[in-house]
Amino acid sequence: MDRPQARTGSPAVTPAARGDVAVIGGGMVGLASALQLQRRGRTVTLIDPGDPLGRASYGNAGVISRGSIFPVAGPGLISKLPGYGLGRSVAVRVNYRSLPRMAGWVRHFLAACNEASWLAAAEALDPLVRTALDHHMALADELGTRHHYRQTGFLRLYRQSGSLASAKRERSVLARFGIEAEPLDAAGIAALEPGLADRYAEGLHFTQSASVDDPGAIVAALYAAFTASAGHIAAHVTDIRPTNDDVELTIGGETHRFAQVVVAAGVHSASLARALGDRIPLVGERGYHRLAPWTGNARLTRPIYDVSGGFVASPMAGGARILSGVELALPDAPADESQIATVLADAARSLPVDADAAGPVWMGSRPSTPDSLPVIGFSRASRSVVYAFGHGHIGFANGPATGLAVAALLAGETPDFPIKPFSPQRF
């Protein structure tokens, strides 16, 4: 059997050798955790099999949203579920063959569709989300990536007049947390984004939000900073077993032992947690995108979310990244490109882009819990294993803060934000 090899320039890890810390997962959360542990003097090995371009941390909208404190499950969602199930909303697709294996997740999701859970999730997420931009800027200064960031805010756009009334409750909660969401009429939208077609009657400008023009470049810079003096095993972890003194990982059929382990493997984290006795409902909220080149001289200056169209458009290097809504599916389910095809054609009516010249379809799975709260904390099986996954739509934005929390936990310290609501044992 072939032995997993460390990449060139990285220290090799031999079977049955006892290492210091292993981080399973090379997305934003895993890399940020690995880097923060490394800066505390730990010897860290990254274990990740995949292509970085295939991860949700690469293919997202690149938005660091101050307003992302609300769960997907909410008090008004139950009435919309029949339409979602029948495919009447372009924003949500369901892979029916995946549903039987998602039954546990669906049950917890439906239980969270109420006012009390919605408000509790906002209370829990705000301390994490409010520092996201500060942590990104600190890393950007260290990594030399500040030029990728734009602090121009984020727009949520409505095509029908009177739509803002439906967001009244949300806006009152946002205001309670000091989150700015400035209302806009059609003239205000045009003043901010003159390149948009005249399709939008109202909107909200989240002025404290920021975005990046190349999420993959941020992830690549983190990876380069970490691997300059650390190992990377390009393989799958197929089993995890805590012992009295350490944690054993099966990697490529061979046993490796580590003093501590971080599980940050995105949608694949639930199977590792299950091996440790933690049954955590997790599904992949699939997203698709295509990069459409600009036409003429018009541009977007900030990301937009078209509520009726069910798409996000984010200005990136080379054009606008058009992102679809959600497809609930298991990671191994076949791709369904119908959703991105529909929203790209619609987005081309709003944006100065050439849909016919758009790049290839990208697909990735956001690791999502039914209550939209990440899983951050110790496994029930061992305090040598920390979980850091399930961030859903906010993993890219909140990866740096989560990495700091992981490093604090493994050092026996208290993280900077409350993690009790994110406990792996809450389900």
Side-chain angles (χ1 to χ4, degrees):
M1 183 176 291
D2 292 337
R3 177 178 301 172
Q5 298 293 316
R7 292 192 174 188
T8 304
S10 302
V13 179
T14 57
R18 188 177 191 275
D20 190 6
V21 184
V23 175
I24 307 172
M28 174 62 87
V29 174
L31 283 171
S33 299
L35 189 62
Q36 293 301 334
L37 286 162
Q38 189 181 71
R39 288 176 176 175
R40 286 173 171 257
R42 308 298 299 274
T43 301
V44 185
T45 301
L46 184 71
I47 305 171
D48 181 74
D51 177 1
L53 301 186
R55 301 188 188 98
S57 53
Y58 164 82
N60 62 86
V63 179
I64 304 166
S65 173
R66 178 66 185 93
S68 292
I69 63 170
F70 295 110
V72 176
L77 193 65
I78 293 291
S79 63
K80 299 178 182 178
L81 292 181
Y84 293 155
L86 294 172
R88 293 173 181 169
S89 170
V90 71
V92 179
R93 291 283 189 267
V94 178
N95 182 293
Y96 291 104
R97 291 186 178 181
S98 297
L99 272 180
R101 290 168 60 190
M102 296 192 297
W105 185 93
V106 171
R107 184 175 66 254
H108 285 283
F109 179 84
L110 293 176
C113 289
N114 59 78
E115 177 88 359
S117 296
W118 184 71
L119 291 174
E123 293 274 4
L125 285 171
D126 183 67
L128 168 63
V129 172
R130 69 169 53 250
T131 63
L133 183 55
D134 290 340
H135 289 307
H136 266 271
M137 290 296 94
L139 273 179
D141 287 337
E142 295 177 25
L143 303 176
T145 56
R146 184 175 274 266
H147 60 286
H148 287 294
Y149 288 80
R150 304 169 296 235
Q151 298 190 46
T152 53
F154 170 67
L155 294 180
R156 182 194 298 172
L157 302 178
Y158 302 92
R159 297 182 186 178
Q160 292 82 31
S161 297
S163 298
L164 284 182
S166 65
K168 183 178 179 180
R169 178 71 173 120
E170 177 186 347
R171 291 170 63 194
S172 69
V173 177
L174 291 172
R176 175 151 60 89
F177 290 112
I179 301 170
E180 298 173 3
E182 296 182 354
L184 299 170
D185 58 14
I189 295 167
L192 286 176
E193 295 294 346
L196 285 173
D198 184 18
R199 301 181 78 188
Y200 302 108
E202 296 177 342
L204 289 173
H205 185 198
F206 293 87
T207 59
Q208 297 155 307
S209 298
S211 59
V212 300
D213 64 3
D214 189 347
I218 309 302
V219 176
L222 274 172
Y223 179 81
F226 168 74
T227 55
S229 57
H232 174 196
I233 300 178
H236 282 286
V237 174
T238 56
D239 195 17
I240 179 170
R241 300 170 301 279
T243 68
N244 290 334
D245 301 320
D246 51 30
V247 183
E248 294 183 350
L249 300 180
T250 300
I251 308 170
E254 297 175 331
T255 299
H256 299 253
R257 294 159 48 214
F258 295 90
Q260 295 174 314
V261 171
V262 179
V263 177
V267 293
H268 304 289
S269 298
S271 61
L272 294 174
R274 191 177 304 114
L276 294 169
D278 293 304
R279 300 190 69 83
I280 300 171
L282 194 72
V283 301
E285 283 190 41
R286 274 186 177 173
Y288 298 78
H289 85 232
R290 293 184 70 183
L291 182 70
W294 303 113
T295 56
N297 296 321
R299 300 285 187 274
L300 282 181
T301 58
R302 55 182 61 76
I304 67 164
Y305 168 41
D306 183 322
V307 177
S308 297
F311 68 84
V312 170
S314 190
M316 300 279 175
R321 178 174 287 182
I322 311 301
L323 302 103
S324 68
V326 168
E327 180 196 12
L328 289 176
L330 294 169
D332 56 353
D336 179 358
E337 297 182 1
S338 63
Q339 190 180 29
I340 186 62
T342 299
V343 299
L344 176 61
D346 190 26
R349 298 175 56 198
S350 298
L351 306 167
V353 295
D354 184 353
D356 293 333
V361 175
W362 175 93
M363 181 188 75
S365 291
R366 312 174 186 95
S368 297
T369 60
D371 58 9
S372 296
L373 302 181
V375 176
I376 303 172
F378 293 105
S379 165
R380 72 173 69 244
S382 173
R383 292 185 71 83
S384 295
V385 179
V386 165
Y387 298 140
F389 59 84
H391 291 68
H393 296 252
I394 62 172
F396 176 80
N398 296 282
T402 302
L404 286 166
V406 166
L409 286 172
L410 289 182
E413 301 169 2
T414 301
D416 290 339
F417 56 90
I419 65 166
K420 185 177 179 180
F422 309 141
S423 169
Q425 284 79 50
R426 70 184 186 268
F427 297 106

